[in-house]
Amino acid sequence: MLDRKYIIENLEAVRQNCVNRGVNVDVERFQVLEMERREKQREAEELNRRANDVSKNIGKAKTSEEREALKEEGKNLRKRGGELAHEVEIIEGELDAIHRAIPNMTHPEAPIGEDDKANLEISRGKTPIPEFHFTPLDHVELAQKLDLIDFEAGARVAGAGFYFLKNEAVMLELALEMYAMQMLRRENFVLTTTPDLARNDILAGTGFNPRGNETQIYSIENTDLSLVATAEIPLGGMLSGVVVDAEKLPMKFCGLSHCFRTEAGAAGRASRGLYRVHQFSKVEMFAFTLPEDSESMLGYLREMEQRIFDGLKIPYRVVDTATGDLGGPAYRKFDLEAWMPGRGDFGEVTSTSNCTDYQARRLNARYRIKGEKGTHLLHTLNGTAIAISRGLLAIMENYQQEDGSIRVPEVLLPYTGFDVIKPKNQM
């Protein structure tokens, strides 16, 4: 979240930022409440100070009447101080709700627009869009012909949006995971597998809403736990309440996790098949940096995403994400959108965001500089290395052949044991 003092001192900029992001937050109400909180807090502290002074004078009283009067005065002062403290607590609750709804500020170069239609294409990948001399199928049709995914069985077991990967698709998933993890290992990321559950305060700290009508989170009833929507959540939580030495920064983590999302309201051909599902695996990058290093780290994470998809020889474009399409914690975000022949358009496959100190303030993740007093808030960044379901989609559709088979990207051959997926009657 933003610093309270910053909000008050930059009220118009914060209000306009909310407008640009399409977030309806009463920033003026926040200012009124914060001023009221400060005044009542000051009054309560003053009453407590006076009560302490009165208490010190009780022993000095010369008569019992004077002593009793001082006791009564002190009692009244503490009572009123307690009432004010309770009023501050009520104000604090409303303040906190508004505070958490205020998004991060936005990089001045991010395009302004209400949704992803305003995203700005800034570059293309090394691989050109393929030219097919036949009508390409989408991945759902390919999966059916090649017996790679069973959506119907997934729906019988867990409901719509779940699926079974089968046969070569299983090996492709494992190959994509190994390909990404090995590349990040060579870049000195700390490799992790993460918990599938996280406490709700960790979700809230990373900017995810575990409750409410608009949540995309599956929560566990009668607990303070929820299923994670991305490894960003547990990776960010690793340093919750922790102070690290500046000399150890940056800290780069790679997390392999399952991801669970309700995907409420998702529908349409663009969401068909694997593109928008309730469960998938993902390799996620996460970094903690010094404030002055976060912008360059964002560029580095974006480069890693491009290297991964250039290696897979998947056509893609990079877009600078518009204000209305940014998540609350993101200061700036870049997406990779892979070409998807089945829909004849690009679709998002990765994103990388600089969240500055927005998440760190919620998580109380800090660093110290040797020889200096006090601590400072870290900057946090995240980036998708590979979301397996969408990676599979992009491979299946871009590597399909006229005979109905699917070639395997060369970089995955060391992990698959086969170079082509053929229709079963050809094997």
Side-chain angles (χ1 to χ4, degrees), residues 172-222:
L172 273 181
E173 167 157 329
L174 297 175
L176 282 168
E177 291 173 356
M178 284 298 296
Y179 165 62
M181 297 285 273
Q182 290 284 22
M183 182 177 288
L184 296 175
R185 180 172 175 267
R186 290 192 293 269
E187 291 289 322
N188 297 315
F189 281 76
V190 176
L191 304 187
T192 73
T193 58
T194 73
D196 286 341
L197 294 166
R199 295 200 322 268
N200 288 334
D201 62 308
I202 298 297
L203 269 82
T206 48
F208 291 82
N209 176 22
R211 306 290 187 193
N213 295 331
E214 297 182 2
T215 185
Q216 294 289 315
I217 299 297
Y218 286 106
S219 292
I220 309 302
E221 191 175 10
N222 300 321

Side-chain angles (χ1 to χ4, degrees), residues 326-339:
L326 289 172
Y331 173 65
R332 196 177 197 186
K333 180 164 80 82
F334 295 99
D335 290 346
L336 260 64
E337 297 179 348
W339 179 252

Side-chain angles (χ1 to χ4, degrees), residues 176 179-180 183-184 285 303-314 316 350 384-386 411:
L176 282 168
Y179 165 62
M183 182 177 288
L184 296 175
M285 301 177 287
E303 179 192 349
M304 289 305 305
E305 293 177 346
Q306 292 179 245
R307 284 175 57 188
I308 288 169
F309 276 83
D310 282 334
L312 290 168
K313 295 185 178 178
I314 298 290
Y316 66 84
T350 79
T384 312
I386 186 97
V411 292

Side-chain angles (χ1 to χ4, degrees), residues 244-269:
V244 298
D245 293 330
E247 292 83 357
K248 295 181 179 179
L249 298 170
M251 299 173 71
K252 300 185 300 184
F253 293 93
C254 159
L256 171 61
S257 76
H258 297 114
C259 304
F260 303 88
R261 302 182 184 183
T262 66
E263 296 293 3
R269 182 169 177 81

Side-chain angles (χ1 to χ4, degrees), residues 218-235:
Y218 286 106
S219 292
I220 309 302
E221 191 175 10
N222 300 321
T223 75
D224 69 340
L225 294 170
S226 294
L227 293 169
V228 300
T230 166
E232 175 189 347
I233 294 167
L235 291 176

